[in-house]
Amino acid sequence: MNAAATARRVHTEAPPADRKSSARAWIVTGLLVAFMMVNFADKSVLGLAAEEIRSDMGLSATEFGLANSAFFLLFSVAAAAVGMLADRVPPKWLLLTMAVLWSVAQTPAALGGGLAVLIGSRVLLGAAEGPAFPVAQQAALSWFPNHRRNLPGALVTLGVTLGVITAAPGLTWVIHHHGWRAALWVVVAVGAVWALLWGLLGADGPYRTDTAEAPPAGARPTTDAGVATKRPYRRIFATRTWVGTTAAYFTSYWAVALMLIWLPSYLRDGLGHSTAASGGLVAVPWAIGALALLGQAALTGWLMRRGVSSRWARGRVGAGLLLLAASACLTVPLVDGVAAKTALLVVGFGLGGSFATVAVTTVAELAPPVRRGGTLGAMNAAVTTAGLIAPAVVGHMVDAQGAAGYQSAVVLSGALLLAGGVAAWTLIDPARDADALRLSA
């Protein structure tokens, strides 16, 4: 039997499904949503406590930006290395190790110390959190075939939003009443509780390995499994889909990094909102992003069930989100009034930060299962360099231009999102590139 025939055959079979395994799939997905909530609560602490930390340590905006950039110093390297390790080691144990390290990493800064301790703690935390998103997605998607991945992928990504929405008011209260180090103790404890639950209930799914994945009735077959499993990573990274997805996701992550680190300060210092109002407003773009994620997942799933190619269902739907976000950000300097600028800001960053599910499900469709962890990890490594660059760049803008520097940062973000939208629209076509990888075997 030749390779093409083998590839066709594997798509006619699927692992058996039953109610028990289906329930387990959603239990694991729920735990992974909580995992990402803890992950982004950890990330958000310094942004929420920016003024307190700068005052406590006497930091300029540039120095504070560099301290936050330190979080991403090993973030990307760890994402790539552990992503490839996830192709060999069960994700369950990688996720458990990460969660334990998160709590350990934040303990020194919670106990005390100066800027050096804070930076060292953030570097270690970044190394432990770098692989979190791609490995969590790999673990969730391993429970579902390609045509059912949009919802679980969106829900795991939604954990990012829920983490910030739930953490922002609670941690802000802790920071103002008990200090920013107390807020670190809160996230340390929550991370430890999650690790205990995952150790008891976490598991890897049946689609983790090169397993057949049957398409839904009426849909055209996917190329998620088959003879392309041995294609080297460099072949996958050279595809237009991987390049376009990674470029678009980079611009989206730039927006995410600024929401985490500088949005609370912009709302207070740049637009004049009170501290209390800023604590509530900082959650609004994340809520908008959550709605966009769920809407995108529903629309993409609906299109794919009707046989629409993933070039449109994933690539161009995702591109539309980025282009709308770019339009909102680039309009900010053209309007007058705090209300109008705030509305455009939260819409632009909310939509701009909602590309992650498109990126993950697109690359999961492109890469064969035994290359999925490494491919997702490498994409995440490239993308999260935005987190290394963006906080420092914006800090420099604020020191150089004062409050006007925040608006300049929004315009820069809009230009990047525009470029990302164009890349997604013109380059993403996972079915085409997956077929090319298979035929080159």
Side-chain angles (χ1 to χ4, degrees):
M1 182 177 291
N2 61 30
T6 302
R8 285 193 296 270
R9 179 179 60 80
V10 296
H11 288 297
T12 65
E13 304 166 0
D18 54 41
R19 290 184 178 180
K20 184 176 180 180
S21 63
S22 178
R24 188 66 182 272
W26 290 110
I27 290 171
V28 170
T29 300
L31 285 169
L32 293 169
V33 172
F35 177 78
M36 292 310 302
M37 289 176 67
V38 177
N39 180 281
F40 269 74
D42 290 347
K43 289 184 176 72
S44 69
V45 172
L46 264 63
L48 295 170
E51 299 305 312
E52 290 78 6
I53 295 172
R54 288 177 62 186
S55 175
D56 185 20
M57 297 187 175
L59 304 178
S60 68
T62 299
E63 289 170 331
F64 180 73
L66 289 171
N68 279 279
S69 292
F71 175 85
F72 292 94
L73 188 63
L74 299 178
F75 192 96
S76 299
V77 174
V82 178
M84 292 184 181
L85 186 63
D87 289 332
R88 298 170 176 81
V89 177
K92 173 181 177 176
W93 302 113
L94 294 175
L95 291 165
L96 180 61
T97 301
M98 279 184 254
V100 171
L101 287 175
W102 296 353
S103 295
V104 171
Q106 295 179 94
T107 301
L111 288 170
L115 180 60
V117 172
L118 178 63
I119 290 176
S121 175
R122 298 304 283 183
V123 170
L124 179 58
L125 180 64
E129 290 197 349
F133 184 69
V135 177
Q137 286 283 3
Q138 183 190 16
L141 300 186
S142 73
W143 284 92
F144 302 90
N146 182 50
H147 65 279
R148 293 185 57 210
R149 287 178 182 155
N150 297 298
L151 180 57
L155 290 175
V156 173
T157 307
L158 186 62
V160 172
T161 298
L162 294 176
V164 177
I165 289 175
T166 57
L171 291 178
T172 298
W173 184 89
V174 172
I175 289 164
H176 285 289
H177 289 83
H178 301 285
W180 63 274
R181 296 187 196 274
L184 291 178
W185 281 117
V186 171
V187 292
V188 165
V190 172
V193 170
W194 185 90
L196 177 62
L197 291 174
W198 180 254
L200 295 172
L201 301 174
D204 298 312
Y207 293 99
R208 176 175 170 253
T209 57
D210 190 7
T211 309
E213 301 184 7
R220 71 190 186 97
T222 67
T223 54
D224 190 53
V227 299
T229 57
K230 300 303 181 183
R231 292 298 87 198
Y233 288 113
R234 58 183 172 77
R235 287 281 190 88
I236 300 171
F237 300 157
T239 62
R240 295 176 67 193
T241 292
W242 192 88
V243 171
T245 303
T246 302
Y249 191 15
F250 175 92
T251 68
S252 180
Y253 204 89
W254 181 283
V256 170
L258 295 191
M259 281 196 288
L260 284 169
I261 305 304
W262 285 115
L263 182 60
S265 296
Y266 183 21
L267 291 169
R268 286 194 302 264
D269 303 335
L271 295 177
H273 292 287
S274 68
T275 299
S278 297
L281 285 171
V282 76
V284 175
W286 297 98
I288 292 172
L291 294 175
L293 279 170
L294 293 175
Q296 174 270 318
L299 177 58
T300 296
W302 181 81
L303 290 171
M304 293 189 72
R305 286 193 298 272
R306 280 153 181 77
V308 176
S309 72
S310 51
R311 177 187 181 188
W312 281 91
R314 284 179 173 147
R316 293 192 172 173
V317 169
L321 289 173
L322 295 183
L323 294 173
L324 287 172
S327 299
C329 289
L330 293 173
T331 306
V332 168
L334 304 179
V335 301
D336 295 320
V338 170
K341 288 182 181 293
T342 302
L344 288 168
L345 178 70
V346 298
V347 169
F349 277 81
L351 295 179
S354 62
F355 190 78
T357 301
V358 174
V360 169
T361 54
T362 297
V363 169
E365 179 181 353
L366 170 69
V370 297
R371 292 287 185 261
R372 190 171 293 148
T375 305
L376 288 171
M379 176 180 69
N380 211 59
V383 162
T384 54
T385 56
L388 180 65
I389 301 167
V393 168
V394 175
H396 178 73
M397 286 180 168
V398 172
D399 277 340
Q401 303 175 34
Y406 291 114
Q407 184 165 281
S408 298
V410 173
V411 173
L412 174 59
S413 299
L416 288 171
L417 289 166
L418 177 61
V422 171
W425 187 279
T426 57
L427 297 177
I428 291 177
D429 190 346
R432 173 202 63 203
D433 289 339
D435 283 343
L437 287 171
R438 176 176 61 82
L439 293 173
S440 67

